[in-house]
Amino acid sequence: QGLYSSVVCPGLVMTNMTYRILPVFLWKLLMPIMWLVSGSPVVCYTPTPLCCSSQVWLFRQKPEYLDLLVKYHSCTTGLGRCYVEPRKMDVDEDTAEKLYQKLLELEEQ
């Protein structure tokens, strides 16, 4: 029906909601560490909601050209440049196809 689904990770976005998870002084202590590891495959830190680039990037793509077994991550370099990093998900194509067929069966019911 022309519908596509993709998986994205907005990263850790520093907003007033994030600050409620831990006390503000603790975030201020963690901030330099977050900047140092922001380019690593473990943590994608984005200083502002404007850096949630995976959602915007994905919206601008032609769905038929995207890899169905990839998760798109919003990341930021240590200098604050936002970018999208595709990472293969731990799902093989056979399993993905079986899940898709099951979804089609459920849709018919």
Side-chain angles (χ1 to χ4, degrees):
Q1 295 182 2
L3 296 176
Y4 294 88
S5 176
S6 295
V7 181
V8 297
C9 175
L12 173 63
V13 182
M14 299 308 292
T15 65
N16 61 346
M17 289 174 27
T18 310
Y19 284 123
R20 292 183 187 150
I21 297 171
L22 295 172
V24 174
F25 78 91
L26 198 52
W27 280 116
K28 291 186 188 237
L29 291 173
L30 291 173
M31 213 55 104
I33 297 167
M34 299 295 278
W35 273 103
L36 289 174
V37 297
S38 64
S40 76
V42 178
V43 177
C44 288
Y45 163 73
T46 57
T48 68
L50 296 175
C51 282
C52 293
S53 49
S54 60
Q55 293 90 334
V56 175
W57 179 86
L58 197 62
F59 177 75
R60 293 179 177 168
Q61 304 306 306
K62 292 187 185 272
E64 56 271 14
Y65 297 128
L66 295 172
D67 186 345
L68 300 175
L69 300 176
V70 165
K71 183 176 185 179
Y72 298 94
H73 290 257
S74 295
C75 297
T76 309
T77 65
L79 299 174
R81 184 183 67 80
C82 301
Y83 64 97
V84 175
E85 181 177 283
R87 297 183 195 157
K88 273 287 200 206
M89 290 188 288
D90 191 20
V91 177
D92 61 87
E93 290 188 38
D94 292 334
T95 303
E97 184 61 32
K98 287 177 187 174
L99 289 171
Y100 178 69
Q101 292 304 322
K102 183 65 177 174
L103 181 64
L104 291 178
E105 289 173 20
L106 290 171
E107 184 180 47
E108 287 178 10
Q109 292 177 2

